[in-house]
Amino acid sequence: MFIVDWNWNMSFIPGYHIENQIYESTNTIIFRGQRIQDMCPVTMKVLKEEYPTSNEILRFKNEFNILRSLNSEGVIKVINFEEFNQRRAIIFEDFIGEPIKSFISDKGFPVEEFLHIAIQLAKIVGQIHTKNIIHKDINPSNILFNPITGKIKI
């Protein structure tokens, strides 16, 4: 196991090697790592609270179930829902992308690339909406961009 010194007192996710933190919101932290059994690259979204409320757990499980039901090329695929030491984590494929927010603030995009990304995003949101699902938090932190492939995922 890999032990990380987080100020919120969580030391590991059993069965996973954590490489680095990608993002932190008010309620969750997202890490990149590997599943130990097969070295599969993964991304992990972990509830920050050591003892989340039943409503927080219900919302998190609901997010997992909604994501699991989506079968869209533009949506990160979920692998598993993990419970450990009173904590919860959603395990995702690792798209090997970074939040588009960092690309926008660093250097921006040429118009042609921006339009390519905007078209991809519109298609993905359309696919999600055809499943009667509304993403309530589409923002540059929740859109991943792979600069090598030019693809995005929500």
Side-chain angles (χ1 to χ4, degrees):
M1 299 287 162
F2 185 71
I3 302 199
V4 179
D5 181 24
W6 295 308
N7 61 5
W8 43 281
N9 205 17
M10 184 180 119
S11 58
F12 66 92
I13 300 174
Y16 297 90
H17 169 80
I18 296 172
E19 294 171 3
N20 62 321
Q21 179 178 322
I22 300 173
Y23 178 74
E24 182 172 354
S25 71
T26 306
N27 300 316
T28 61
I29 298 181
I30 299 178
F31 300 100
R32 179 169 279 137
Q34 293 181 332
R35 187 171 47 206
I36 293 171
Q37 73 183 36
D38 58 3
M39 301 309 284
C40 176
V42 297
T43 303
M44 299 158 265
K45 183 175 185 178
V46 182
L47 282 176
K48 285 167 72 171
E49 291 297 321
E50 186 171 4
Y51 296 100
T53 67
S54 57
N55 281 341
E56 289 170 324
I57 294 169
L58 184 61
R59 275 195 305 273
F60 204 58
K61 281 186 177 180
N62 190 43
E63 177 181 347
F64 167 75
N65 288 323
I66 289 169
L67 288 168
R68 187 173 55 176
S69 73
L70 290 174
N71 189 17
S72 171
E73 185 64 31
V75 177
I76 296 287
K77 293 185 183 6
V78 295
I79 296 172
N80 206 3
F81 186 87
E82 301 279 348
E83 297 183 33
F84 56 96
N85 299 335
Q86 305 301 318
R87 295 202 190 270
R88 310 303 188 278
I90 300 174
I91 311 299
F92 299 89
E93 69 173 331
D94 189 358
F95 172 60
I96 311 174
E98 297 293 330
I100 205 163
K101 177 181 183 176
S102 62
F103 293 95
I104 293 169
S105 61
D106 287 349
K107 57 185 174 262
F109 292 100
V111 173
E112 184 177 300
E113 191 171 5
F114 171 80
L115 291 174
H116 179 70
I117 290 168
I119 290 167
Q120 284 183 76
L121 183 58
K123 286 180 181 178
I124 294 166
V125 171
Q127 291 168 353
I128 293 170
H129 286 181
T130 62
K131 307 251 187 206
N132 294 319
I133 296 170
I134 298 171
H135 190 301
K136 295 181 181 178
D137 193 22
I138 293 179
N139 68 67
S141 296
N142 290 335
I143 301 167
L144 298 178
F145 176 68
N146 183 320
I148 295 167
T149 65
K151 302 271 186 200
I152 64 165
K153 288 199 180 197
I154 295 178

